Amino acid sequence: MYINITKSETGDNKGSSGALVHYLEKENRMQPEKGMGNEPERWFNGTDNDIKPHKVRMGIDRNVAKLGREDSKFFLINISPSQKELAHLVSRYGEDGAREKLKEFAARVMDEYARNFKRPGIDSHKDLLWFGKLENHRYYNHNDKEVKSGLKRKGERKEGRQMHIQIIVSRKDITNKIKLSPQNTSRGKNKAHSQKLGQFDRTAFKQSGETLFDELFDFERNLKDSLQYANTMKNGTARQKAQMHTLTELTRRHPQGQPLAMELAHDVAQGMFESVGEMLTTTGSMAADLLGLLMAPVEGAGEQQSPIEEEEKRRKRKKKAQSRGIRR
C-alpha cells in the first residue's frame, strides 16, 4: 500500500486548487475507450459520491480564512494499492465493487488522517474539508525509465491494474477555523505544545492505512510487502536488518509462520531487540513457536540446516577470521 502526501501534482498549493482539480479530471476528458462506457468518475467525500469539479474548486479555495499568501492552502494525498491488493479486491467484489470499496477505504483513511493530528474536535473525515477522485489508470511520463529508454511513449497507459485514489484536503478544517498541516512534524517544547501545534506523524499515518486495509478486507500481507519491512531495510540499523532477515527467512521456509513474523517485525522496526537471541527470548509464549519453526527441517530440503544453525556457523566463521586477522 503506497500512501503519500504532497503539495500537488501541479507543484503549487499556495494559490487556487483549480489547476489541480483540472489535472485530476484528465480521464473524464479523454475519449472513452471501447467497453469503458461514458460515465465519468465523480468526486466524493465520504457523504456524497456525485460532486462536480467546480464545487471541489470552490470549496477548497474558499476555505482559507487567515492563511497568508505563502501558506499552503491544501494538500494532495495519494492512496495507491499494490497489484496484489487490487487483485484481492477485484476477486472479492468484482471490478465495480472494488471501485466502491476503494472509495469507502479512502474515507476511513481520512478518519486516520484527522485523528493523527490529535487535536480536540478533529476526530474523523467529517471534521475535514476533502474531496477524493478515483482514477482507473496511470500513464507514462518523461521521468519514467521506460520512456527514457524508448520502450514507451509519454502519455501511454501503464500495464496492469492501476486503480488509485487522489484526495485534495484543505489546510483548514471543515469549520474554516483550525489549521491542520501534515508538514508539521515538530515535536514542540512539550506534550501540550505539540498538541497545540497539531503535530503529524507521517509514518504512523501510512502504517494506519496499511493496517486498515488488511483488517477491512481480510488481506493476508506478506512480511516483505509491509511498510515496516520496507522502512527497516531502508533506514534501520544493521542489527534491525539482520533480525528482519531472520524473520523473512522464517516466512520463506515456513509460510505458516507469517502471522508470527508480522507481529515480531513490528517490535524489530521499533528497535526492541538487541539480537536475534533476544528476539526469541522476549516473545514469551511465542518464543517456543518461533524457535520450533526456525529449527524445523524444510520439507523436501534434505539435510538443509535451519536459519539459526546457519547464523551460528556464520558467526563462528566471522569470529575465526577476525582472530586470524589479529594474529597477523
Side-chain angles (χ1 to χ4, degrees):
M1 174 64 64
Y2 178 81
I3 299 178
N4 193 34
I5 306 173
T6 59
K7 293 180 178 179
S8 79
E9 290 281 1
T10 58
D12 180 27
N13 67 343
K14 297 180 180 179
S16 171
S17 63
L20 178 57
V21 173
H22 178 78
Y23 173 81
L24 295 178
E25 279 286 305
K26 57 185 180 296
E27 284 191 2
N28 289 340
R29 293 193 300 272
M30 294 179 179
Q31 182 68 28
E33 296 186 6
K34 185 177 179 180
M36 286 182 62
N38 297 311
E39 192 67 27
E41 281 288 350
R42 298 297 189 189
W43 293 79
F44 65 94
N45 64 0
T47 57
D48 190 347
N49 286 322
D50 190 22
I51 305 173
K52 304 297 190 295
H54 73 278
K55 293 286 187 181
V56 175
R57 177 185 58 77
M58 291 171 59
I60 295 294
D61 288 357
R62 291 176 177 176
N63 205 60
V64 293
K66 296 184 179 181
L67 291 180
R69 180 179 296 179
E70 296 303 313
D71 290 332
S72 296
K73 308 301 190 299
F74 56 87
F75 301 96
L76 180 68
I77 301 177
N78 184 323
I79 303 174
S80 296
S82 68
Q83 293 285 322
K84 290 181 181 179
E85 291 165 337
L86 288 174
H88 178 75
L89 287 181
V90 172
S91 69
R92 294 193 66 176
Y93 307 107
E95 291 285 350
D96 291 338
R99 291 187 181 91
E100 294 309 309
K101 289 297 180 181
L102 197 54
K103 292 179 183 179
E104 294 174 14
F105 172 68
R108 296 289 297 273
V109 169
M110 294 310 291
D111 286 338
E112 298 297 330
Y113 179 86
R115 286 191 282 265
N116 198 290
F117 287 104
K118 297 179 175 60
R119 295 288 297 272
I122 308 299
D123 303 309
S124 75
H125 74 268
K126 295 180 181 179
D127 300 313
L128 308 171
L129 181 66
W130 66 279
F131 302 94
K133 180 73 163 52
L134 184 143
E135 295 188 314
N136 292 287
H137 309 289
R138 290 188 181 279
Y139 305 87
Y140 288 101
N141 60 45
H142 65 280
N143 289 323
D144 289 317
K145 60 182 181 180
E146 293 87 351
V147 174
K148 293 180 178 179
S149 65
L151 295 175
K152 299 292 182 179
R153 292 177 298 174
K154 179 182 176 182
E156 189 174 344
R157 183 186 298 175
K158 292 187 176 182
E159 300 81 2
R161 290 192 174 96
Q162 299 290 344
M163 188 163 49
H164 60 284
I165 300 281
Q166 302 272 26
I167 293 174
I168 304 177
V169 57
S170 175
R171 167 76 178 276
K172 303 295 292 290
D173 76 318
I174 193 71
T175 68
N176 203 9
K177 294 179 180 179
I178 302 175
K179 294 180 181 180
L180 300 168
S181 174
Q183 292 178 322
N184 180 23
T185 58
S186 172
R187 295 289 176 183
K189 298 177 181 178
N190 51 50
K191 184 176 180 180
H193 184 55
S194 293
Q195 289 179 340
K196 182 179 179 180
L197 290 174
Q199 175 194 332
F200 194 89
D201 188 331
R202 290 196 177 210
T203 300
F205 171 58
K206 294 176 182 180
Q207 182 62 62
S208 68
E210 181 180 284
T211 302
L212 183 64
F213 185 93
D214 297 350
E215 293 176 350
L216 283 178
F217 305 120
D218 294 323
F219 182 71
E220 296 184 4
R221 186 175 303 279
N222 292 326
L223 177 58
K224 280 197 170 185
D225 295 329
S226 68
L227 177 63
Q228 54 196 9
Y229 174 85
N231 280 346
T232 299
M233 300 311 288
K234 181 180 179 180
N235 304 312
T237 64
R239 181 182 299 141
Q240 287 173 300
K241 292 177 181 178
Q243 293 164 16
M244 196 68 78
H245 174 74
T246 298
L247 293 177
T248 56
E249 186 68 7
L250 163 68
T251 59
R252 182 182 72 82
R253 292 168 176 254
H254 305 283
Q256 71 272 27
Q258 189 76 237
L260 181 59
M262 288 292 288
E263 190 169 344
L264 287 170
H266 172 75
D267 291 338
V268 169
Q270 298 299 314
M272 299 288 288
F273 307 122
E274 289 294 323
S275 65
V276 172
E278 184 181 342
M279 181 174 68
L280 290 173
T281 58
T282 58
T283 52
S285 61
M286 292 190 301
D289 295 334
L290 179 61
L291 183 60
L293 285 170
L294 286 172
M295 295 299 292
V298 181
E299 185 177 352
E303 297 299 321
Q304 189 172 8
Q305 294 174 314
S306 73
I308 288 183
E309 291 171 334
E310 292 174 355
E311 181 65 28
E312 181 64 18
K313 282 199 170 186
R314 282 195 294 269
R315 188 185 66 78
K316 288 181 177 179
R317 286 197 297 268
K318 183 178 180 181
K319 186 176 181 180
K320 189 174 182 180
Q322 290 175 339
S323 176
R324 288 175 176 173
I326 293 174
R327 284 197 297 267
R328 289 174 186 171

